């Protein structure tokens, strides 16, 4: 801290120094400060007013300098506090990670036990707030890894994908690469090397809702196709050549060729499907995004027709990016469908039959992946009905009306309330296979009588009784659609006893 001096004291001080050290500089520190303050030493003959003015200027500088110093000191104190806080947070994070790592190691040998470490310090780390039951497994996606540890920064990580979140697959061709000069179709070929196996990438696509991969090609006098000859293409994950550079293979042909400008009708030459196909000596580019996840990733890029000295072609391939979880429309139809939506526990499952509208039981071995033999083992059909349907009705009074649905006197069973006794009509509540049995006895054993069994008014089965036999029986199995109507009608003779029974044998759970 500086002292305050009067003008007379300062004047005497400088006069004394000038006499003793005329040819030398003032000592380091004090001398530098006083030289800044007084570049011209006032002479002893100057008036007291002038000395007083210098003293006031010096005092103002002192006060300004001291204020600046205090501000800097406070700022440094704040920075020290911030650094201490960061250090404490880092120490807490290290302790948390060490605790979780310890629990992960223990969980591989024995069941988790909720015990605190010996060096547990509640004032420093409150382990009771930590997610101590985190699974010690490889995250399935980048999103899961970030959720488990929000402090993670972008970088390279191992994941075990199951379709959640968003995941990118890196490769060795993300920068712009020149194809050089050659003429024949596909004379330049580059195999894409990914940071994962093709099988892993395929499984990622299988469990993801959508995947895409961008491709950018800059060209100068270098066409993809010219005069009907394809000079450029890419290979899908199965190794098959593909000639479209954006979107999907919408027309399902093996030589479908287009670019993004072709889809938008905005190419330089409106008659062509790609800008580069114009083969002009000018800088052009085609940029697109392949969105057909069943073909991704791109495994090889092939180009040609760049023999001219001025021809230039560069390619830049984006990462394969997948996001979302696959969504099934309706009930799963296979173990592969179950795997796609996240099932991992092997066992018996009910699925929609692939060749029928029935529910089937299969054994799924989720230690295997789609495409592996033994993933699915068929067990059998499931006798599943959404609602039971059966009836039994009778009559014991005389009836002789022809060509109409015969009513009945009472019902003993009518599950689903599908049979109307007064009208004599059964209405199918569910689509499926039904069995019907009808028995009747003639009121006059000496006359012919017979019945028809009808579906929606059309005869399907009948019974006739000759003169010597006075009973008639119909046994009939038929597939009905919900809403179909079944009845029996007298065609000849008369009856005074009748029984009618029906039951749903097998329901079509899945409507075709």
């Amino acid at each position: 801290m500086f002292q305050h001096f009067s003008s007379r004291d300062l004047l005497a001080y400088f006069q004394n120094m000038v006499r003793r050290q005329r040819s030398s500089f003032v000592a380091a520190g004090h001398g530098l400060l006083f030289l800044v303050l007084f570049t011209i030493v006032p002479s002893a003959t100057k008036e007291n007013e002038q000395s007083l003015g210098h003293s006031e200027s010096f005092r103002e500088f002192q006060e300004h300098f001291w204020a600046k110093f205090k501000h800097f000191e406070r700022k440094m104190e704040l920075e020290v506090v911030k650094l201490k806080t960061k250090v404490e947070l880092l120490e807490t994070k290290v302790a948390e990670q060490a605790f979780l790592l310890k629990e992960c190691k223990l969980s591989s040998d024995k069941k988790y036990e909720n015990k605190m470490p010996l060096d547990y310090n509640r004032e420093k780390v409150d382990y009771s707030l930590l997610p101590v039951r985190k699974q010690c497994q490889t995250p399935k996606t980048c999103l899961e890894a970030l959720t488990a540890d929000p402090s993670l920064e972008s970088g390279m990580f191992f994941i075990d994908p199951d379709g959640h979140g968003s995941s990118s697959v890196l490769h060795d061709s993300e920068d712009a690469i020149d194809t050089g000069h050659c003429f024949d179709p596909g004379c330049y070929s580059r195999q894409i090397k990914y940071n994962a196996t093709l099988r892993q990438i395929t499984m990622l696509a299988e469990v993801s809702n959508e995947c895409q991969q961008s491709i950018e090609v800059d060209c100068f006098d270098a066409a993809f196709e010219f005069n009907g000859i394809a000079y450029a293409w890419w290979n899908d994950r199965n190794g098959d050549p593909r000639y479209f550079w954006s979107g999907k293979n919408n027309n399902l042909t093996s030589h479908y060729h287009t670019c993004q400008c072709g889809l938008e009708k905005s190419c330089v030459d409106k008659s062509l499907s790609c800008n580069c196909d114009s083969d002009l000596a000018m800088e052009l580019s085609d940029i697109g995004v392949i969105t057909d996840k069943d073909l991704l990733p791109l495994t090889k890029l092939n180009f040609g027709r760049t023999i001219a000295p001025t021809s230039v072609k560069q390619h830049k391939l984006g990462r394969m990016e997948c996001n979302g979880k696959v969504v099934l429309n309706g009930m799963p139809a296979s173990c592969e469908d179950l795997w796609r939506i996240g099932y991992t526990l092997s066992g018996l499952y009910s699925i929609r039959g692939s060749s029928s509208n029935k529910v089937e039981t299969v054994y799924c071995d989720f230690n295997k992946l789609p495409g592996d033999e033994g993933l699915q083992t068929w067990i059998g059909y499931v006798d599943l009905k959404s609602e039971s349907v059966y009836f039994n009705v009778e009559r014991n009074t005389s009836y002789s009306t022809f060509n109409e649905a015969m009513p009945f006197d009472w019902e003993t069973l009518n599950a689903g309330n599908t049979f109307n006794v007064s009208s004599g009509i059964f209405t199918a509540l569910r689509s499926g296979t039904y069995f019907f049995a009808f028995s009747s006895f003639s009121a006059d054993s000496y006359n012919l009588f017979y019945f028809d069994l009808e579906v929606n008014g059309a005869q399907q089965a009948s019974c006739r009784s000759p003169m010597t036999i006075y009973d008639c029986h119909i046994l009939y199995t038929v597939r009905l659609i919900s809403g179909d109507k079944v009845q029996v009608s007298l065609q000849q003779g008369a009856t005074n006893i009748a029984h009618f029974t029906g039951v749903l044998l097998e329901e079509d759970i899945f409507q075709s």
Side-chain angles (χ1 to χ4, degrees), residues 114-243:
N114 190 12
K115 296 181 178 179
M116 296 299 177
L118 296 176
D119 58 349
Y120 171 73
N121 185 349
R122 182 171 292 276
E123 292 181 357
K124 188 174 183 180
V125 182
D126 188 354
Y127 286 98
S128 64
L129 301 179
L130 298 180
V132 296
R133 294 191 67 85
K134 283 184 179 179
Q135 293 183 350
C136 307
Q137 298 177 351
T138 303
K140 299 175 182 178
T141 65
C142 293
L143 178 62
E144 185 174 304
L146 183 62
T147 302
D149 187 359
S151 66
L152 287 179
E153 298 181 354
S154 297
M156 299 286 292
F157 297 90
F158 288 103
I159 63 171
D160 181 17
D162 76 341
H164 297 282
S166 178
S167 301
S168 298
V169 185
L170 286 68
H171 58 79
D172 66 345
S173 302
E174 297 180 22
D175 297 327
I177 300 175
D178 197 313
T179 64
H181 296 279
C182 61
F183 179 74
D184 294 332
C187 53
Y188 167 88
S189 182
R190 181 176 179 85
Q191 189 79 31
I192 312 301
K193 297 180 180 178
Y194 290 89
N195 289 13
T197 66
L198 184 59
R199 182 175 178 80
Q200 290 172 328
I201 301 174
T202 301
M203 293 302 102
L204 173 63
E206 288 288 336
V207 300
S208 300
N209 186 43
E210 57 183 21
C211 296
Q212 64 181 31
Q213 192 167 13
S214 63
I215 176 71
E216 178 180 348
V217 180
D218 298 325
C219 55
F220 187 96
D221 191 21
F224 291 143
E225 287 193 4
F226 190 77
N227 288 337
I229 300 175
Y231 288 91
W233 64 89
W234 54 271
N235 295 90
D236 61 24
R237 69 186 184 203
N238 299 316
D240 298 326
R242 302 290 174 175
Y243 303 88

Side-chain angles (χ1 to χ4, degrees), residues 333-400:
S334 65
C335 293
E336 186 172 331
D337 285 347
L338 292 169
W339 179 85
R340 285 195 182 100
I341 60 178
Y343 282 78
T344 58
L345 182 63
S346 299
L348 295 174
Y349 291 89
S350 295
I351 63 170
R352 175 177 179 170
S354 58
S355 59
S356 68
N357 288 327
K358 304 174 185 177
V359 176
E360 299 179 1
T361 298
V362 294
Y363 176 79
C364 298
D365 183 0
F366 290 119
N367 293 316
K368 298 179 172 60
L369 295 174
D372 290 347
E373 184 178 354
L375 172 64
Q376 176 174 313
T377 303
W378 189 82
I379 303 300
Y381 293 107
V382 179
D383 185 14
L384 181 66
K385 299 182 180 68
S386 59
E387 185 174 348
S388 296
V389 177
Y390 52 85
F391 69 90
N392 184 73
V393 295
E394 302 176 15
R395 72 172 295 141
N396 59 5
T397 56
S398 179
Y399 181 79
S400 59

Side-chain angles (χ1 to χ4, degrees), residues 51-327:
S51 298
L52 182 61
H54 284 293
S55 178
E56 291 296 330
S57 299
F58 179 67
R59 185 178 298 107
E60 291 177 359
F61 179 81
Q62 279 184 315
E63 293 174 351
H64 177 72
F65 181 82
W66 182 246
K68 289 286 187 180
F69 175 78
K70 295 300 292 183
H71 175 73
F72 176 76
E73 186 179 36
R74 287 194 298 271
K75 187 175 181 182
M76 291 298 101
E77 289 176 351
L78 291 174
E79 291 297 324
V80 170
V81 171
K82 290 180 180 179
L83 287 174
K84 288 182 177 179
T85 302
K86 289 182 178 180
V87 169
E88 291 176 356
L89 290 174
L90 287 173
E91 289 177 346
T92 301
K93 191 66 178 177
V94 169
E96 175 188 346
Q97 296 295 334
F99 178 70
L100 293 176
L101 180 60
K102 179 181 178 181
E103 294 304 323
C104 287
K105 291 179 179 178
L106 290 175
S107 66
S108 63
D109 299 326
K110 62 180 180 178
K111 188 176 180 180
Y112 174 84
E113 296 180 2
N114 190 12
K115 296 181 178 179
M116 296 299 177
L118 296 176
D119 58 349
Y120 171 73
N121 185 349
R122 182 171 292 276
E123 292 181 357
K124 188 174 183 180
V125 182
D126 188 354
Y127 286 98
S128 64
L129 301 179
L130 298 180
V132 296
R133 294 191 67 85
K134 283 184 179 179
Q135 293 183 350
C136 307
Q137 298 177 351
T138 303
K140 299 175 182 178
T141 65
C142 293
L143 178 62
E144 185 174 304
L146 183 62
T147 302
D149 187 359
S151 66
L152 287 179
E153 298 181 354
S154 297
M156 299 286 292
F157 297 90
F158 288 103
I159 63 171
D160 181 17
D162 76 341
H164 297 282
S166 178
S167 301
S168 298
V169 185
L170 286 68
H171 58 79
D172 66 345
S173 302
E174 297 180 22
D175 297 327
I177 300 175
D178 197 313
T179 64
H181 296 279
C182 61
F183 179 74
D184 294 332
C187 53
Y188 167 88
S189 182
R190 181 176 179 85
Q191 189 79 31
I192 312 301
K193 297 180 180 178
Y194 290 89
N195 289 13
T197 66
L198 184 59
R199 182 175 178 80
Q200 290 172 328
I201 301 174
T202 301
M203 293 302 102
L204 173 63
E206 288 288 336
V207 300
S208 300
N209 186 43
E210 57 183 21
C211 296
Q212 64 181 31
Q213 192 167 13
S214 63
I215 176 71
E216 178 180 348
V217 180
D218 298 325
C219 55
F220 187 96
D221 191 21
F224 291 143
E225 287 193 4
F226 190 77
N227 288 337
I229 300 175
Y231 288 91
W233 64 89
W234 54 271
N235 295 90
D236 61 24
R237 69 186 184 203
N238 299 316
D240 298 326
R242 302 290 174 175
Y243 303 88
F244 65 97
W245 301 89
S246 189
K248 295 183 177 181
N249 186 5
N250 295 320
N251 64 2
L252 302 178
T253 60
S254 60
H255 198 83
Y256 172 60
H257 175 65
T258 192
C259 293
Q260 185 61 33
C261 70
L263 298 175
E264 299 173 349
K265 309 298 182 184
S266 60
C267 297
V268 174
D269 187 337
K270 298 297 189 295
S271 64
L272 300 175
S273 299
C274 297
N275 287 322
C276 290
D277 285 347
S278 60
D279 207 36
L280 298 175
M282 60 184 297
E283 294 183 357
L284 297 171
S285 64
D286 281 298
I287 304 174
V289 179
I290 309 299
T291 58
D292 194 335
K293 74 168 191 171
D294 294 331
L295 303 180
L296 295 176
L298 280 68
T299 57
K300 185 184 291 187
L301 295 174
N302 312 275
F303 297 99
R305 195 176 169 76
T306 57
I307 191 63
T310 57
S311 294
V312 176
K313 185 168 286 184
Q314 289 185 337
H315 62 78
K316 182 189 294 186
L317 183 62
R319 300 175 182 178
M320 177 177 164
E321 299 180 351
C322 296
N323 61 79
K325 183 178 180 180
V326 69
V327 178

